[in-house]
Each structure stands twice: as C-alpha cells, then as structure tokens.
Amino acid sequence: MTTPPPAPVASPPSPPRNSQAPHESGLQSGLKNRHLSMIAVGGVIGAGLFVGSASGIATAGPGILLSYALVGALVVFVMRMLGEMAAANPTSGSFSAYADRALGRWAGFSIGWLYWFFWVVVLAVEATAGAVILEGWVPAVPQWAWALIVMVVLTATNLASVASFGEFEFWFAGIKVVAIVAFIGLGALAIFGVLPGSDNAATGFANLTSHGGFLPNGPSAILTGILMVVFSFMGSEIVTLAAGESEDPQRAVTKATKSVIWRVGVFYLGSILVVVSLLPWNDPSIEKKGSYVAALDSIGIPHAGQVMNVIVLTAVLSCLNSGLYTASRMAFSLGQRGDAPRAFARTNARGVPQAAILVSVVFGFVAVGFNYLWPDTVFQFLLNSSGAVALFVWLVICFSQLRMRGIILRENPDKLVVRMWLFPYLTWATIAMISFVLVYMLTDDKPGGGRIQVLLSVLLAVVVVAISLLRDRLGGRSAKTDAISSR
C-alpha cells in the first residue's frame, strides 16, 4: 500500500465539529493493543453464528457457504471504507461522526441514534438469551433475575473503566476464538479420518454434493440464505469506535481493517464448511440440536450440548459487554456534537461517560421488561423496527466514504494510510449490493420476516431524520432570532 504525495495546503485545517479526539474530550486511552486485537478478532463472532447457522443450512444446503461468502465480502468492503476514515480520524462516534462531516448534521444525528437504538434492543435480546442458559443450569434462580444479574455485572464493568471493559472483552473474545479454532481443527481431522476415536465416517468433502447437489434448493436459496446470515456479522465496526481509546488508534484501525478478510474467512466460512462436510445438510440433528452441537456429536465429543452452551453464553456476554460499550460511546459522541443531552458527553474521574452508560442500560432494562411482559407485541415491534438498521449503517458508511476521501486528500493527505480498493467503483458496487439485499428483504413476507423489518426500520429512520431536520430548522430560527435581538 502506498501513501499519496502530500498536496499543498495553504494553512492547517481547523478541526471539524465532530473530530475531537477522545483523549481531548475526557475519555482515556485505556485499551491496550492486545485488547484491540482481540476485540477486532472476536467482534465478528457473535452468538448468531452459533445458534443461527442451522436455519441457513436447512434453507440453502451447502450453498449457504456462498451466502456467507457474499455477506462476508460486503463486510470486508464496508470495513475497508470505515477503516480508511477511522485511520485518518479516530473518534468515538466513528461512522456517525464521519456522516456528520461528509453528508450533513442530519445524517450523523440520524444514523447515530438509530445505531444506539439497535444496540439497546440487542442488550435485551442477549440478556434474555444468557438468562435462558443460566436458568437451565441453576433453575432455582428465575430467568428475569439472571437477566438482571448479567446486566448489572456488565454495567459495573463498563462503569469501572475502559480498561476493565477491554479486559473482560479480551477474555470473552479469546474464549470464542479458541473455541472456533478448536472446532475447525477437530472437524478437519475428522473429515479426513485422522481424528482418534471419531464416530464420523471419513467422507472428505463428499457431503457438499452427494445429497441433492451443492444447491439442493436452487440458486435462489443463496439469496434467502443471505437474509438469514447478514445480521450475524453486525459488530465488526465496534473496533473503530474502541480504537479512539487505545494507545495507538491509527495502528489499531489499520491492523483491524487489514485482518478482516482472514477473520471472516476462518471463523465463518471455515467453521460452516466443517459442519456441512461432516454432516449431510439435511441431517435432522442440525436443526434439532444446532449445527455446531450436531457436528460435535457426530465426531463423538462428549457433552457437546453443554460445551456449546458455555461457548454461546460467552458469546452472549461478549455481545452484551461490547453492545453496552458501543451504545454508550455513540451516545457520548452525540452529546459532544450537541445532538444529545450534554450530560452524555461528560466523563467521570476514570474517563468513563457515566451518564451515557446509565441511560443506555436503563433503556436495555426497559426492553428486557417488554420482552417478559409483551414479547409478541411491544418487544417484537422493537426487534422489527431495528432489524434493518445494520444495513442502513453500512449504506451510510459507503456514502460517507465517497465524500470523505476528497476531504482527507484536501486536508490531511498523509493520513490516508488505508485506502478503499478500486475507488469509487467498488464503493458504488457495495452500495448496489446492500440496496439489493434491502429490496430482496421486501419479498420475505413471513411474520417477523424481512418485509416487516425493512418497512418498520424505514419508518423509524424517517421519524428520526424528520426530528433531526426539525431540530436544525428550529435551531436556525432561534439563532437568527437571537442575532436580530442582539442588534
């Protein structure tokens, strides 16, 4: 990768409204390089990979690998674009701050609040998922109490310091990484018949084509599979928010951006390849037990279900921990830019945005309550209305990068250390791919399916954008009135 020659600049550019470095705003550089490295590696491994892949395999057969590959390519491209902007200007607001600068204040406000909303809903989903597992182990404690305990513990972790968040996430992510690598290693040995004591017949890769072909349900199943796996990739962008609180933000972002290809390839494609190679895609145990448990059972791993429960619980806790961190830092950035209450932008003596964390977790608690009181109405509405936000975020990153490339070259060309490939053609191609996924989601008219998610998410986005435009208009009128009255 080459750095372009510096262009002449008449005078040093004044910092944009949204580019305040975290250490200048009260946040502390408490994340070590090992924390960022593990957050980057583990960020792509969510609980959805472990519990959601079975449905995708049942729908697309071995062709689900193509679904994962296509979505993985989207993630790689989006992360490359985000990495280009984040390496040049690391900030706690990440893509929201870049949208603010590149597209306008309405864009930064809107995507920031939509992203915050997405993560506080995720907090409720993950807290409930973790509580289900824990109640199965200790039934004397009710599920709601486990959800409360999990939320309180991780809230305390985030309130303590950014270093404590990083340490917890380091170990959570480490367990996930070790589990996936061990699963791929054992599975590969069993596939080729060299795993001692394996109960699985060594079939090589015959299962990929011997049960109705590689695409037993036709090519269209690849697109359906995309809808089922796309949201399991959400979280890759967290490292760009966390990088601002690291020892060397630019280095952390550059390293994370360059490693995203092998992360997606190994953890997603590698582990799913092992599953569909060990078992026929239509084996009933895949949907009954879950794809990873079924694969472990097939090679004779004892207590595979409980082993996977531990790993899934770790993934859930990791998602909760990083979700609370992400929501609070986005709220902090919005507060810095005047798009949220100023209290959100204040940090305590430990450099932690306490108000932003507490408000985020309160909304998470409220959502957990909705999940127990009105799971099929209010909570389902929250889930559906946040369902397409991930794709909206990716689109905003793409459009922001189109504008930010020119801004970076004009103001700080030496900071363009990460470049999007084939700019701007691949950026536009990525926009087209994401737009296609959104349009294709409209064909999924099942209850809670893609159509209702897109429609409700668009409705929510329209409301948030309208609020932003109204605020700007009223703010402009107020400023104009103040100017006239001061004459």
Side-chain angles (χ1 to χ4, degrees), residues 473-486:
R473 186 171 183 181
L474 293 177
R477 285 181 178 177
S478 177
K480 188 174 181 180
T481 301
D482 292 343
I484 292 173
S485 62
S486 64

Side-chain angles (χ1 to χ4, degrees), residues 43 141 403:
V141 179
R403 297 287 301 276

Side-chain angles (χ1 to χ4, degrees), residues 136-427:
W137 293 343
V138 187
V141 179
Q143 191 179 116
W144 65 266
W146 277 122
L148 180 65
I149 291 170
V150 166
M151 292 279 275
V152 168
V153 169
L154 293 180
T155 300
T157 299
N158 275 265
L159 285 173
S161 68
V162 69
S164 63
F165 154 76
E167 199 63 32
F168 267 71
E169 194 56 28
F170 175 83
W171 291 105
F172 286 152
I175 292 171
K176 291 188 294 183
V177 170
V178 169
I180 287 288
V181 171
F183 174 81
I184 293 173
L186 291 173
L189 293 176
I191 288 169
F192 295 106
V194 292
L195 180 66
S198 173
D199 298 334
N200 190 286
T203 57
F205 297 107
N207 280 330
L208 296 179
T209 56
S210 59
H211 299 274
F214 186 71
L215 295 171
N217 297 323
S220 63
I222 298 173
L223 298 177
T224 306
I226 285 175
L227 303 188
M228 305 181 80
V229 307
V230 65
F231 299 107
S232 64
F233 283 84
M234 193 62 175
S236 304
E237 71 290 336
I238 291 175
V239 68
T240 63
L241 282 85
E245 293 178 81
S246 68
E247 299 166 338
D248 188 350
Q250 189 178 79
R251 178 177 176 273
V253 169
T254 303
K255 185 177 179 181
T257 302
K258 291 180 177 178
S259 67
V260 71
I261 297 177
W262 71 259
R263 287 185 277 137
V264 169
V266 171
F267 298 133
Y268 279 87
L269 294 179
S271 62
I272 297 299
L273 176 62
V274 166
V275 172
V276 293
S277 297
L278 284 174
L279 294 167
W281 69 272
N282 54 0
D283 190 309
S285 66
I286 292 180
E287 281 203 278
K288 182 180 179 181
K289 300 178 181 179
S291 52
Y292 290 82
V293 174
L296 290 173
D297 276 342
S298 76
I299 60 178
I301 300 297
H303 311 295
Q306 288 303 319
V307 170
M308 192 51 59
N309 273 340
V310 172
I311 296 170
V312 170
L313 179 62
T314 302
V316 164
L317 295 177
S318 172
C319 189
L320 262 173
N321 192 41
S322 57
L324 181 54
Y325 172 85
T326 303
S328 65
R329 287 338 186 249
M330 186 57 72
F332 171 84
S333 177
L334 288 166
Q336 269 194 315
R337 290 176 271 149
D339 291 335
R342 287 292 181 185
F344 288 8
R346 298 193 191 108
T347 56
N348 60 20
R350 297 182 300 278
V352 172
Q354 186 169 298
I357 291 174
L358 292 176
V359 169
S360 299
V361 83
V362 164
F363 274 86
F365 277 127
V366 170
V368 169
F370 287 153
N371 192 18
Y372 286 108
L373 297 174
W374 303 289
D376 300 322
T377 52
V378 178
F379 189 69
Q380 191 62 41
F381 172 81
L382 294 178
L383 284 178
N384 290 334
S385 58
S386 64
V389 167
L391 294 172
F392 295 168
V393 167
W394 293 353
L395 275 178
V396 167
I397 290 171
C398 294
F399 283 111
S400 298
Q401 190 261 341
L402 285 172
R403 297 287 301 276
M404 284 298 294
R405 168 67 72 90
I407 294 173
I408 296 170
L409 284 174
R410 184 171 64 251
E411 297 184 350
N412 295 293
D414 57 313
K415 291 190 175 182
L416 195 62
V417 295
V418 176
R419 285 174 174 261
M420 176 59 181
W421 307 294
L422 299 177
F423 177 83
Y425 308 108
L426 196 51
T427 299

Side-chain angles (χ1 to χ4, degrees), residues 39-76:
I39 289 171
V41 173
V44 296
I45 310 174
L49 173 63
F50 298 110
V51 300
S53 54
S55 299
I57 292 171
T59 298
I64 195 66
L65 287 167
L66 296 180
S67 302
Y68 274 105
L70 288 171
V71 178
L74 275 182
V75 172
V76 169

Side-chain angles (χ1 to χ4, degrees), residues 56-142:
I57 292 171
T59 298
I64 195 66
L65 287 167
L66 296 180
S67 302
Y68 274 105
L70 288 171
V71 178
L74 275 182
V75 172
V76 169
F77 297 154
V78 170
M79 280 297 294
R80 187 76 183 185
M81 288 181 253
L82 184 55
E84 177 179 301
M85 297 182 288
N89 180 25
T91 176
S92 59
S94 188
F95 52 83
S96 173
Y98 309 139
D100 189 304
R101 180 88 194 277
L103 305 177
R105 187 168 185 177
W106 67 271
F109 175 96
S110 302
I111 203 62
W113 278 114
L114 286 172
Y115 191 68
W116 177 86
F117 174 71
F118 171 86
W119 279 110
V120 294
V121 173
V122 167
L123 291 181
V125 174
E126 301 296 345
T128 303
V132 169
I133 296 173
L134 290 167
E135 186 189 30
W137 293 343
V138 187
V141 179

